[in-house]
Amino acid sequence: MASISNSAVAFTGTTASDLLRSSKSGGANGIPLRTLGKARFSVKTRDLSVVAKVRKVKKHEYPWPEDPDPNVKGGVLTHLSHFKPLKEKPKPVTLEFEKPLVALEKKIIDVRKMANETGLDFSDQIASLENKYQQALKDLYTHLTPIQRVNIARHPNRPTFLDHIFSITEKFVELHGDRAGYDDPAIVTGIGTIDGRRYMFMGHQKGRNTKENIMRNFGMPTPHGYRKALRMMYYADHHGFPIVTLIDTPGAFADLKSEELGQGEAIAHNLRTMFGLKVPIVSIVIGEGGSGGALAIGCANKLLMLENAVFYVASPEACAAILWKTAKAAPKAAEKLKITGSELCKLQVADGIIPEPLGGAHADPSWTSQQIKNAINEAMDELNKMDTEALLKHRMLKFRKIGGFQEGVPVDPIRKVNMKKKEEPVAGKTPVIELEYEVEKLKQQISKAKESSSKPTELALNDMIEKLKKEIDLEYSAAVEAMGLKDRFLNLREECLKANSQDQLLHPVLMDRIEKLSDEFNKGLPTAPNYTSLKYKLDMLKEFSVAKSNLEKNGKGEELKLDINKKLKEVMDQPEMKEKLQALKAEVQKSGASSAADLDDGTKESISKVKKEIELELASVLKSMDLNVEIVRAKELIDQDLKAKVERLEEETNKKIENLMKSSDLKNTIKLLKLEVAKAGKTPDAALKNKIEALEQQIKRKLSAAISSSEIKEKHKELQAEIKALECDGGLNGSLKNDDLKEASSKYDESRV
């Protein structure tokens, strides 16, 4: 691989790329390349000549040529030419904001032409115009807006990576290939020396004209370019070469094939690797640094920027298209993005600014390159003093401090004035599906709360009720608006507020208008488009309100129950009450009764007396707790089991009577009785009357025989015994007597007939 050398000489009127530098072993030194470019090298043997030809490629096939080399399929890219001086000087390009300067420059040219043609002395006028031009140039380039700096960074004549490299290095050897079958021309890498110190250089290479831009893909690398840079990073780390990267790209090439080949993975791999390299890294933004495409070779210990360079996560045009839906808002976006060198230094993203000449780097490329060289030497002198551990920590902390914040520090008043006010969140309706999910979740909590504490459930229930109230208000507002009654409601509201503010009663006419509007709204509400969701939310609010009241009642009931039990225990633990109960117990034991039915009348009276005393004592205690005490009748306190037994006995008796009524013998007797009654009429004679009475007695005997079966009698006796036991205990007060049972058992006697 050929090496190129040059002496550190400043050339005026030509760029460093216009000079040919060769090795000391041979070749020309200081001869313009354009001169040598005209020569044609050929080897002649008699009549045979061999001439090198460049293969023509199809248009628009870069950066993915189908077959770059016919001999090596998909391999060596012979269509990539080496960096050569341009055959013609680039045409001057005037930016939009530079047009006032062009008018002054034209005046100077016209005055000089006139002086040459007429032979008159216009030196004073020319000097005045030149001073005016320099002052205007200075005023313009010292007060550039962010979008103007973006335009300068994108200037077609701005010096490229290789322009700067050939100007600042004594020797430079370009290294090609990613060792994976491709060499991306958008990223150039190589080893060079500055003041005798070796460095690994890598950077984005843009073209100087349309043809070169197509060849270099406008400085937008593919995954192969980042993998080539990664290979050179490992190489530099292994040999201990400090790394210098020059950034000048709109961003990584974002086409389908690049994504398929792992564009994101390649950039991420570079980011991770650069943080672990043990050699100093200095990155310089010489043009525009776009997004991850720039950051992939920009994770350095020192990030420097040329004065008119920009560094951004998204181009101003893209940002404007996203935020303001038009690329015309790019100036506003450029200002908000804070992408210039001075702004990024304030944010501690960039570590320094390299000055440019008035008019931009393209106005004096050699001077700009010399400033870059000085900045590299200064930064490397500082970084070379650090050991490996300090170097890695320095690189890590540089990125860790970006975007840092402190809590509790008061905001600068000047800055606070320019801060955007916090926008209040706009209230919106919750979708019914989401609300249903929350409702079901709360219902499950309520059901589980019965087994555990209900306090969390009460809080959740209160939150849901408040939320439903807000939702219902929003639904009502939407319904009013949909029905076209919003203006009328607002007018009525203003009139009511006015009347309230003046402490006046509402006028009857106003009351009538309110009632009419309310009736109209209620009648038209079912036709509102959101009536279904409104009704659902109203039902949920009603249901949860009932649940809340029940929870409150249950809570109060539990507390009251605990208080009552506590008071009852205090009453029963009184010494007097204990003595009475012990005396009553001794009296019962003395009587020798085995059951309550065997107790004598005196003992029963003693039991009733003590019971009444206890009831009165408890009633006074409950009244002291502001509770109304009612004496409940024994009939109302009948045990449910006893009631069920009475009902079952009644059903059995009814069934027996029903079966007897269906028998043919009793049916014939009843029919005969009906006939005799029909014959007798209203005034029966004595014979018919006796006959009717005889038939009635016969039917009664048959019914009594059916009811008086042994099975029903036994059940009747058992119920009587239970009732007597309850009477002795004082539970019934004789409210359910034997007559009741007799009445139940003989319900279908002669009255039924």
Side-chain angles (χ1 to χ4, degrees):
M1 190 175 294
S3 64
I4 302 171
S5 65
N6 68 288
S7 59
V9 182
F11 298 93
T12 58
T14 180
T15 61
S17 62
D18 292 336
L19 302 177
L20 173 65
R21 292 166 295 245
S22 61
S23 62
K24 292 181 181 179
S25 59
N29 186 17
I31 303 173
L33 277 175
R34 63 170 65 90
T35 306
L36 294 176
K38 295 177 182 178
R40 187 164 182 170
F41 295 94
S42 61
V43 180
K44 292 186 179 180
T45 305
R46 296 179 184 177
D47 297 332
L48 179 66
S49 65
V50 180
V51 181
K53 293 183 179 180
V54 179
R55 184 180 68 89
K56 293 183 179 180
V57 297
K58 295 178 182 178
K59 292 183 178 180
H60 310 299
E61 66 177 6
Y62 184 78
W64 308 110
E66 294 179 1
D67 191 7
D69 194 325
N71 297 321
V72 184
K73 188 174 182 181
V76 181
L77 301 181
T78 56
H79 69 287
L80 294 181
S81 62
H82 297 286
F83 187 77
K84 298 176 182 178
L86 294 173
K87 293 179 180 179
E88 298 178 358
K89 284 187 177 181
K91 295 179 181 179
V93 177
T94 303
L95 300 175
E96 188 67 28
F97 64 90
E98 292 178 326
K99 287 182 178 179
L101 295 175
V102 175
L104 278 172
E105 195 173 4
K106 190 177 179 182
K107 282 184 181 179
I108 294 170
I109 293 170
D110 290 341
V111 172
R112 280 179 178 168
K113 187 178 178 182
M114 188 183 298
N116 292 333
E117 289 177 355
T118 60
L120 298 174
D121 185 12
F122 290 103
S123 56
D124 293 340
Q125 289 81 350
I126 292 171
S128 176
L129 287 171
E130 285 180 347
N131 290 335
K132 193 175 181 181
Y133 175 83
Q134 290 297 328
Q135 187 62 41
L137 183 67
K138 186 178 179 181
D139 292 343
L140 179 62
Y141 274 86
T142 52
H143 300 88
L144 291 171
T145 62
I147 194 64
Q148 288 172 347
R149 293 191 187 276
V150 172
N151 293 331
I152 296 171
R154 295 172 178 172
H155 199 285
N157 298 337
R158 193 171 178 84
T160 62
F161 167 78
L162 287 174
D163 286 322
H164 289 302
I165 290 300
F166 287 138
S167 294
I168 66 177
T169 59
E170 296 91 30
K171 292 182 180 180
F172 178 76
V173 178
E174 185 176 353
L175 302 176
H176 294 272
D178 63 346
R179 295 299 183 267
Y182 203 89
D183 181 25
D184 188 355
I187 283 188
V188 176
T189 60
I191 300 173
T193 60
I194 297 177
D195 296 340
R197 290 192 287 188
R198 294 187 186 89
Y199 297 100
M200 174 63 75
F201 293 97
M202 57 187 71
H204 304 95
Q205 178 62 30
K206 284 184 178 180
R208 297 166 293 180
N209 52 36
T210 305
K211 185 178 179 181
E212 281 191 11
N213 271 322
I214 292 172
M215 188 188 75
R216 300 284 182 181
N217 197 31
F218 297 86
M220 294 185 289
T222 59
H224 303 291
Y226 293 117
R227 290 177 182 131
K228 177 167 73 171
L230 181 67
R231 184 174 78 86
M232 300 309 165
M233 290 176 196
Y234 283 128
Y235 185 84
D237 191 46
H238 177 73
H239 292 284
F241 296 155
I243 298 173
V244 178
T245 67
L246 272 63
I247 297 168
D248 186 15
T249 178
F253 190 54
D255 70 329
L256 180 60
K257 191 167 183 181
S258 295
E259 295 300 327
E260 289 173 351
L261 292 172
Q263 184 75 283
E265 182 270 341
I267 293 172
H269 200 170
N270 280 25
L271 297 177
R272 184 184 69 178
T273 303
M274 289 191 81
F275 279 105
L277 296 176
K278 299 174 184 178
V279 294
I281 306 174
V282 174
S283 293
I284 302 172
V285 184
I286 60 173
E288 53 179 339
S291 190
L295 201 60
I297 60 170
C299 295
N301 295 93
K302 291 278 186 180
L303 177 66
L304 307 175
M305 295 181 67
L306 286 180
E307 190 177 352
N308 294 317
V310 290
F311 197 39
Y312 49 72
V313 70
S315 66
E317 292 80 7
C319 176
I322 293 168
L323 296 181
W324 292 283
K325 309 302 180 187
T326 174
K328 292 181 181 179
K332 185 178 179 182
E335 186 179 351
K336 299 293 183 184
L337 284 171
K338 310 292 185 186
I339 59 178
T340 59
S342 58
E343 292 288 350
L344 292 172
C345 283
K346 289 179 184 177
L347 296 171
Q348 296 184 334
V349 174
D351 298 301
I353 298 174
I354 301 172
E356 290 186 27
L358 292 176
H362 55 279
D364 194 347
S366 298
W367 188 86
T368 307
S369 298
Q370 190 62 34
Q371 299 305 313
I372 292 173
K373 180 181 177 180
N374 295 338
I376 292 172
N377 286 332
E378 186 180 345
M380 285 299 176
D381 289 341
E382 180 185 344
L383 296 174
N384 284 328
K385 294 177 183 177
M386 301 181 187
D387 58 7
T388 303
E389 187 177 350
L391 198 68
L392 292 172
K393 189 175 181 181
H394 178 273
R395 196 179 307 148
M396 182 269 293
L397 291 175
K398 170 183 167 40
F399 285 89
R400 289 288 292 174
K401 71 182 179 182
I402 296 173
F405 64 93
Q406 290 180 321
E407 293 183 357
V409 178
V411 182
D412 184 11
I414 299 172
R415 188 181 172 194
K416 194 171 184 179
V417 170
N418 298 324
M419 288 176 69
K420 186 178 179 182
K421 292 183 179 179
K422 189 176 180 182
E423 296 178 357
E424 294 294 331
V426 180
K429 292 189 293 183
T430 306
V432 177
I433 298 174
E434 185 179 339
L435 195 63
E436 286 177 354
Y437 173 74
E438 292 180 9
V439 165
E440 288 299 323
K441 192 175 178 182
L442 183 57
K443 285 182 178 178
Q444 291 175 5
Q445 288 180 7
I446 292 170
S447 61
K448 289 179 182 178
K450 295 176 181 178
E451 302 172 2
S452 59
S453 176
S454 62
K455 287 185 179 179
T457 309
E458 286 181 10
L459 294 173
L461 195 58
N462 291 334
D463 292 341
M464 177 57 74
I465 289 171
E466 291 298 322
K467 185 175 182 179
L468 284 171
K469 286 179 179 178
K470 292 178 182 176
E471 290 288 326
I472 289 167
D473 289 341
L474 291 172
E475 293 287 355
Y476 272 126
S477 300
V480 167
E481 193 167 354
M483 294 166 64
L485 302 174
K486 186 176 180 180
D487 294 336
R488 292 171 63 186
F489 268 105
L490 290 174
N491 292 334
L492 273 177
R493 184 184 178 188
E494 288 177 3
E495 291 182 20
C496 292
L497 290 172
K498 188 176 179 181
N500 290 333
S501 63
Q502 296 175 357
D503 296 332
Q504 295 177 356
L505 294 173
L506 291 179
H507 197 273
V509 177
L510 187 59
M511 291 289 292
D512 187 45
R513 284 174 60 194
I514 292 171
E515 289 178 3
K516 285 182 179 179
L517 186 58
S518 178
D519 292 340
E520 185 179 349
F521 174 72
N522 291 329
K523 288 178 182 178
L525 187 59
T527 62
N530 62 329
Y531 178 70
T532 307
S533 59
L534 173 61
K535 190 173 183 301
Y536 171 76
K537 290 172 183 176
L538 284 169
D539 293 341
M540 287 300 102
L541 180 61
K542 186 177 179 181
E543 184 177 343
F544 284 129
S545 299
V546 172
K548 182 183 177 182
S549 62
N550 290 337
L551 278 175
E552 290 175 352
K553 286 179 182 177
N554 291 338
K556 290 178 181 178
E558 289 295 327
E559 292 177 3
L560 187 61
K561 186 178 178 182
L562 291 173
D563 291 341
I564 291 172
N565 288 335
K566 188 177 178 181
K567 293 288 184 183
L568 292 178
K569 190 177 179 183
E570 290 176 359
V571 170
M572 298 304 293
D573 289 342
Q574 289 177 2
E576 296 178 1
M577 196 63 65
K578 282 184 178 180
E579 288 177 6
K580 289 179 182 179
L581 289 172
Q582 287 176 0
L584 185 61
K585 187 177 180 182
E587 187 178 349
V588 171
Q589 289 177 354
K590 188 177 180 181
S591 65
S594 58
S595 63
D598 299 334
L599 291 172
D600 55 8
D601 294 337
T603 306
K604 288 180 181 179
E605 286 180 6
S606 299
I607 291 171
S608 299
K609 187 178 179 182
V610 172
K611 184 190 170 193
K612 285 180 180 178
E613 288 179 5
I614 292 172
E615 285 179 353
L616 290 171
E617 189 70 26
L618 292 176
S620 62
V621 169
L622 293 175
K623 284 181 179 177
S624 67
M625 297 173 67
D626 295 330
L627 295 174
N628 294 326
V629 181
E630 294 182 2
I631 298 173
V632 183
R633 295 287 180 187
K635 190 172 184 179
E636 297 173 2
L637 299 174
I638 294 174
D639 188 77
Q640 296 295 328
D641 186 35
L642 187 60
K643 276 187 177 183
K645 287 181 181 179
V646 172
E647 288 174 359
R648 283 198 296 272
L649 181 61
E650 186 178 341
E651 286 177 5
E652 267 187 64
T653 308
N654 291 342
K655 197 171 182 181
K656 287 274 185 185
I657 294 170
E658 292 284 344
N659 292 334
L660 184 62
M661 295 290 287
K662 290 177 183 177
S663 64
S664 57
D665 187 19
L666 192 59
K667 277 183 180 181
N668 292 333
T669 308
I670 291 170
K671 285 180 181 179
L672 185 60
L673 179 60
K674 286 180 179 181
L675 289 171
E676 293 298 332
V677 170
K679 285 180 184 178
K682 292 182 179 181
T683 54
D685 55 5
L688 284 172
K689 195 173 183 180
N690 291 332
K691 196 172 183 179
I692 288 169
E693 287 178 359
L695 288 171
E696 286 178 355
Q697 291 297 327
Q698 188 179 351
I699 291 169
K700 285 180 182 180
R701 284 195 298 272
K702 288 181 180 180
L703 288 172
S704 297
I707 292 169
S708 301
S709 64
S710 59
E711 186 180 351
I712 291 176
K713 275 185 177 181
E714 287 177 5
K715 290 181 179 179
H716 185 259
K717 285 179 181 179
E718 289 176 4
L719 276 174
Q720 277 184 332
E722 287 184 25
I723 290 166
K724 281 182 180 179
L726 285 171
E727 285 178 2
C728 294
D729 292 339
L732 292 176
N733 286 337
S735 60
L736 187 61
K737 307 276 183 176
N738 292 340
D739 298 336
D740 298 330
L741 290 176
K742 286 177 183 176
E743 184 182 354
S745 61
S746 61
K747 196 170 183 179
Y748 295 93
D749 56 3
E750 60 182 283
S751 61
R752 162 103 183 215
V753 177

